[in-house]
Amino acid sequence: MSAPIVFSGIQPTGRKHLGNYIGAIRQYVSGQDRGQPAIFCIVDLHALSVAYDPAELRERVHDTTAILLAAGLDPERCILFRQSDVREHTELTWLLSAVTSHGDLDRMTQFKEKTGAARELASAALFYYPVLMAADVLAYKATEVPVGDDQRQHVELMREVARRFNGRFGETLVVPELIVPTVGARIMDLQEPERKMSTTASTEAGTVFVLDEPAAIRKKLGSAVTDSGREVRRAPEKAGVTNLIDVLAVARGVGPEAIEAEFEGAGYGDFKKAVAEGVVELLAPVRERYAELRPDEAALEATLAAGAEKARALAAPTLAEVRQRMGLGPA
Ligand code: TRP
């Protein structure tokens, strides 16, 4: 089989948390040599589907770029770029909307959840979000899309859009596969371990940020919610402890059973201290490298510009083909 073309998008929010790091960023880094190419896109166009500040958006793109580089993405081995630098994404969004039905978009649970009762006030961009996401991936004829489980429905939709396009206009686009990370896909909020750690919905005390200082990490882990029992083992009714076991397993690069065995008979206090140290060791190198990279905005822009050039070279031929198939421009 030929090497996969990997594409993933990441929101430009500066405050990436442990869940993002374990569930997405680390997979990007480990997957960058597997993908030929592996393409990582900072999705600033998606970010403007909700209320935002223009100057801050630019800052957040730089933050995210620096975090990804600090975590180990190597622009020599992957394509790292800013979505809005490659106009093909917006053009393809419109073209794909011809084979996307209003009903498809209406069924998207993320749109429903994000808008709730305020549906009428939500931007059309938020409604269109999945079409832009389809364009992101289909422009590169990507074969694999590594994303969190919450994006499953969006990936299903892009698969359907690709199939419909091919059915209507002839075999052109590639139907991509969803790749959900197996380890650490669900890192839970430390204070509310029934809920996923998330940028928007989580508690501050329950969310470890990639850039947190060791003291903050120790404090958050120290006050992580456990249960009234005393055993360090995974169980459905022990959501807090289960989460901490998973976190330490990932931090140490071992299976959760190894953690359970190591802490058999130990108290929660010692266990939580060990988890804190594991997380500090996991994140400290990223934080330190970030501090070196983030101030040099010219260098970050140069990296993004070089990435955009490589991305454009791949997306432009797809767009030419799509336009041709759809009867746009001269024959
Ligand atoms: N919607 C994705 C998220 O919130 C981000 C994203 C945008 C994306 N475009 C993409 C992910 C294309 C994968 C492929 O996580």
Side-chain angles (χ1 to χ4, degrees), residues 7-11 28 41-43 46 83 89 110 114 129 132-137 144-148 150-151 154-155 158:
F7 185 103
S8 193
I10 187 164
Q11 292 273 358
Y28 290 2
C41 177
I42 300 173
V43 295
H46 278 109
Q83 189 183 33
H89 293 240
Q110 196 161 71
K114 274 195 189 175
Y129 185 112
L132 176 59
M133 187 164 158
D136 291 342
V137 174
E144 293 185 3
V145 184
V147 272
D150 61 326
Q151 298 297 313
H154 290 154
V155 175
M158 69 175 75

Coordinates of all heavy atoms in Angstrom, one line a residue, residues 7-11 28 41-43 46 83 89 110 114 129 132-137 144-148 150-151 154-155 158, ligand 1:
F7 N -3.8 14.4 7.1 CA -4.2 15.8 7.2 C -4.9 16.0 8.6 O -5.8 15.3 8.9 CB -5.1 16.3 6.1 CG -5.4 17.8 6.2 CD1 -4.8 18.7 5.4 CD2 -6.3 18.3 7.2 CE1 -5.0 20.1 5.5 CE2 -6.5 19.7 7.3 CZ -5.9 20.6 6.4
S8 N -4.5 17.0 9.3 CA -5.3 17.4 10.5 C -5.3 18.9 10.7 O -4.4 19.6 10.3 CB -4.8 16.7 11.8 OG -5.8 16.8 12.8
G9 N -6.4 19.3 11.3 CA -6.5 20.8 11.6 C -6.5 21.0 13.1 O -7.0 20.1 13.8
I10 N -6.0 22.1 13.5 CA -6.0 22.4 14.9 C -6.4 23.9 15.1 O -6.0 24.8 14.4 CB -4.6 22.1 15.6 CG1 -4.6 22.3 17.1 CG2 -3.5 23.0 15.0 CD1 -3.4 21.6 17.8
Q11 N -7.3 24.1 16.1 CA -7.8 25.4 16.3 C -6.7 26.3 16.9 O -5.9 25.9 17.8 CB -9.0 25.3 17.4 CG -10.2 24.6 16.8 CD -11.1 25.6 16.1 OE1 -10.9 26.8 16.0 NE2 -12.2 25.0 15.6
Y28 N 0.4 13.9 16.3 CA 0.9 14.7 15.1 C 2.4 14.4 15.0 O 3.0 14.1 13.9 CB 0.7 16.2 15.2 CG -0.7 16.7 15.1 CD1 -1.8 15.9 14.9 CD2 -0.9 18.1 15.2 CE1 -3.0 16.4 14.9 CE2 -2.2 18.6 15.1 CZ -3.2 17.8 14.9 OH -4.5 18.3 14.8
C41 N -2.6 21.9 9.8 CA -3.2 23.2 9.4 C -3.7 23.9 10.7 O -4.5 23.4 11.4 CB -4.3 22.9 8.4 SG -5.2 24.4 7.8
I42 N -3.3 25.1 10.9 CA -3.9 25.9 12.0 C -5.1 26.7 11.4 O -4.9 27.5 10.5 CB -2.8 26.9 12.5 CG1 -1.6 26.1 13.0 CG2 -3.4 27.8 13.6 CD1 -0.4 26.9 13.4
V43 N -6.2 26.3 11.9 CA -7.5 26.7 11.2 C -8.0 28.0 11.7 O -9.1 28.1 12.3 CB -8.5 25.5 11.3 CG1 -8.0 24.3 10.5 CG2 -8.9 25.2 12.7
H46 N -11.7 28.7 10.6 CA -12.7 28.1 11.5 C -12.9 29.0 12.7 O -14.0 29.1 13.2 CB -12.3 26.7 11.9 CG -12.6 25.7 10.8 ND1 -11.7 25.0 10.1 CD2 -13.8 25.2 10.4 CE1 -12.3 24.2 9.2 NE2 -13.6 24.3 9.4
Q83 N -4.3 28.1 7.7 CA -5.4 27.9 6.7 C -5.6 29.1 5.8 O -5.7 28.9 4.6 CB -6.6 27.5 7.5 CG -7.8 27.1 6.8 CD -9.0 26.9 7.7 OE1 -9.1 27.6 8.7 NE2 -9.8 25.9 7.5
H89 N -8.6 26.7 0.1 CA -9.6 26.2 1.1 C -10.9 26.9 1.0 O -12.0 26.2 1.1 CB -9.0 26.3 2.6 CG -7.9 25.5 2.9 ND1 -7.8 24.5 3.8 CD2 -6.6 25.4 2.3 CE1 -6.7 23.9 3.9 NE2 -5.9 24.5 2.9
Q110 N -22.5 19.0 16.7 CA -21.7 20.1 17.3 C -22.3 21.5 17.0 O -22.2 22.3 17.9 CB -20.2 20.0 16.7 CG -19.3 20.8 17.5 CD -17.8 20.4 17.3 OE1 -17.2 20.7 16.3 NE2 -17.3 19.7 18.3
K114 N -23.2 23.8 20.1 CA -22.6 25.1 20.2 C -23.6 26.2 20.2 O -23.3 27.3 20.8 CB -21.6 25.3 19.1 CG -20.2 24.7 19.4 CD -19.2 25.3 18.4 CE -17.9 24.6 18.5 NZ -16.9 25.1 17.5
Y129 N -19.1 25.5 8.9 CA -17.9 25.0 9.5 C -17.6 23.6 8.9 O -16.4 23.4 8.4 CB -18.1 24.9 11.0 CG -17.0 24.5 11.8 CD1 -16.3 25.4 12.7 CD2 -16.5 23.2 11.9 CE1 -15.3 25.0 13.5 CE2 -15.5 22.8 12.7 CZ -14.9 23.7 13.5 OH -13.9 23.3 14.3
L132 N -16.1 23.7 5.3 CA -14.7 24.2 5.3 C -13.8 23.1 5.7 O -12.7 22.9 5.1 CB -14.6 25.4 6.2 CG -13.2 26.0 6.4 CD1 -12.6 26.4 5.0 CD2 -13.2 27.2 7.3
M133 N -14.2 22.4 6.7 CA -13.4 21.2 7.2 C -13.3 20.2 6.1 O -12.2 19.6 5.9 CB -14.1 20.7 8.5 CG -13.2 19.6 9.1 SD -13.8 19.4 10.8 CE -13.1 17.7 11.1
A134 N -14.3 19.9 5.4 CA -14.3 19.0 4.3 C -13.3 19.5 3.2 O -12.4 18.7 2.7 CB -15.7 18.8 3.6
A135 N -13.4 20.8 2.9 CA -12.5 21.3 1.9 C -11.0 21.2 2.4 O -10.1 20.9 1.6 CB -12.8 22.8 1.7
D136 N -10.8 21.4 3.7 CA -9.4 21.3 4.2 C -8.8 20.0 3.8 O -7.6 19.9 3.3 CB -9.4 21.3 5.7 CG -9.8 22.7 6.3 OD1 -9.7 23.7 5.6 OD2 -10.2 22.7 7.5
V137 N -9.5 19.0 4.0 CA -9.0 17.6 3.8 C -9.0 17.2 2.4 O -8.0 16.7 1.8 CB -9.8 16.6 4.7 CG1 -9.4 15.2 4.4 CG2 -9.7 16.9 6.2
E144 N -6.0 10.0 5.4 CA -6.2 9.8 6.9 C -6.4 11.1 7.6 O -5.6 12.1 7.3 CB -5.0 9.1 7.5 CG -4.8 7.6 7.0 CD -3.7 6.9 7.8 OE1 -3.1 7.5 8.7 OE2 -3.4 5.8 7.4
V145 N -7.3 11.1 8.5 CA -7.6 12.3 9.3 C -7.6 12.0 10.8 O -8.5 11.4 11.3 CB -9.0 12.9 8.9 CG1 -9.2 14.2 9.7 CG2 -9.1 13.1 7.4
P146 N -6.4 12.2 11.4 CA -6.4 11.9 12.9 C -7.0 13.1 13.6 O -6.5 14.2 13.6 CB -4.9 11.9 13.2 CG -4.2 12.6 12.0 CD -5.1 12.7 10.9
V147 N -8.1 12.8 14.3 CA -8.8 13.8 15.1 C -9.5 13.1 16.3 O -9.7 11.9 16.3 CB -9.9 14.5 14.3 CG1 -9.4 15.8 13.6 CG2 -10.7 13.6 13.4
G148 N -9.9 13.9 17.2 CA -10.7 13.4 18.4 C -12.0 12.9 18.0 O -12.6 13.2 16.9
D150 N -14.8 13.6 19.0 CA -15.9 14.6 18.8 C -16.0 15.1 17.4 O -17.0 15.7 17.0 CB -15.6 15.8 19.7 CG -14.3 16.5 19.5 OD1 -13.3 15.8 19.1 OD2 -14.2 17.7 19.6
Q151 N -15.0 14.7 16.5 CA -15.0 15.2 15.1 C -15.5 14.1 14.2 O -15.5 14.3 13.0 CB -13.6 15.6 14.7 CG -13.1 16.8 15.5 CD -14.0 18.0 15.3 OE1 -14.3 18.4 14.2 NE2 -14.3 18.7 16.4
H154 N -18.2 15.1 11.6 CA -17.6 16.0 10.6 C -16.9 15.2 9.6 O -16.9 15.5 8.4 CB -16.7 17.1 11.2 CG -17.5 18.1 12.0 ND1 -16.9 18.8 13.0 CD2 -18.8 18.5 11.9 CE1 -17.8 19.6 13.5 NE2 -19.0 19.5 12.9
V155 N -16.1 14.2 10.0 CA -15.4 13.4 9.1 C -16.3 12.5 8.2 O -16.1 12.3 7.0 CB -14.3 12.5 9.8 CG1 -13.6 11.6 8.8 CG2 -13.3 13.4 10.5
M158 N -17.6 14.7 5.5 CA -16.6 14.9 4.4 C -16.5 13.7 3.5 O -16.3 13.8 2.3 CB -15.3 15.4 4.9 CG -14.4 14.5 5.6 SD -12.8 15.2 6.0 CE -13.1 16.3 7.4
Ligands
TRP1 N1 -12.8 20.9 13.6 C1 -11.5 20.4 14.1 C2 -11.5 20.5 15.6 O1 -12.2 21.3 16.2 C3 -10.4 21.2 13.5 C4 -10.3 21.0 12.1 C5 -10.5 21.9 11.1 C6 -9.9 19.8 11.4 N2 -10.3 21.4 9.9 C7 -9.9 20.1 10.0 C8 -9.5 18.6 11.8 C9 -9.6 19.1 9.1 C10 -9.2 17.6 10.9 C11 -9.2 17.9 9.5 O2 -10.8 19.8 16.2

